[in-house]
Amino acid sequence: MVSLPKMNELGFFEIRLESIGGLGANLAGKMLAEAGVMGAELNGVSFSSYGSEKKGSPVKAHIRFCGPDTNIRDTSPVERPHVVGIFHESLSKTVNVISGIYEDSLVLVNSTRSTAELKEKMKLKGGTIAVVDAIGIALEEKNRVNMAMLGALFRLCDFLDAEFMKGVIRKSLEKKYPQAVQPAIRTFERGYNEVRFETFELPEGETMPAFVRQDTPVLGYETQPLGGVITNPGNSILKDLSISRAGMMPQFDDEKCIHCAACDNVCPDFCFVWDELPDKKGRPQMFLQGIDYQYCKGCLKCVVACPTEALSKSRDDDDYAEKHRVPHRFDRAIV
């Protein structure tokens, strides 16, 4: 029997996976728990929490491990994780993905950035940050992001047996999808081998932010403004759908565009920005100005519809999206 590297006051080693629907975090959590229970002889449990079960919406998977002499009677969400697996880097824009971490927690991020860049972006004060380009590996191996993330998680959780996990992958896929077994194992192995990590010490004199439960209401009887006015109502204009992009995004080439609006006809999320300008003969016409990437969830329907290849697909890149975003001009909205 293996020993857990650390435990909380109840004797649990806890993992939380932060993801979006469609990247396979729910399945990854189940497979991770199975490897701990069947392969490492630990007690374990896995469950997920999500809203509308819609592709692109936030998903959390919760995993607990403990010794065989400890009973698991706690099925509440993991609030104080020892390991956090972030399947989509952009989730940090709208979700507090590092909520409740300890000083020595491990934070694994699916990203192409450096550990130092991610530390600054996620406002981490200390701890160990691990990075793996799970989307890039999955695209090259023609497999799923969750297999690469599982490989990296097994590298970080060295009490789990990676060889046993490969057997779990075979058992899960070989009956229905035998052709997917070897790509999945290759993706797992690359995630295991290609993850890189760095530990940052907490600066002297600083402490981790105080723990706040995730279900603490932002607007409650103690926190609402005077008069109960909701100053920031939820609406489509305020939403940031960029966290829904599962690896790909469209890029716009103005020189090839004929302003036919075929892209706008198929776009489900009002991403394209137009302006009325005079044409060569001075007549008013609508001209496409660009893409508001805040609302683009990477469905790529516009790329398929474009007749002139003015729109092309590429890897999702937050820096490119921020630099080339053409924001909508809403006249009567406070953004």
Side-chain angles (χ1 to χ4, degrees), residues 256-272:
K256 294 181 180 179
C257 183
I258 59 173
H259 311 284
C260 66
C263 53
D264 209 9
N265 285 335
V266 297
C267 177
D269 290 299
F270 198 53
C271 298
F272 293 94

Side-chain angles (χ1 to χ4, degrees), residues 14-16 78-84 99-102 105-106:
E14 299 187 322
I15 302 171
R16 187 174 72 225
V78 171
E79 297 276 9
R80 304 299 310 274
H82 297 99
V83 177
V84 178
S99 167
I101 63 171
Y102 300 97
S105 290
L106 290 160

Side-chain angles (χ1 to χ4, degrees), residues 139-154:
L139 289 172
E140 289 174 15
E141 299 294 343
K142 296 180 173 56
N143 202 255
R144 301 286 299 280
V145 169
N146 58 352
M147 290 296 110
M149 290 294 288
L150 270 175
L153 285 166
F154 268 72

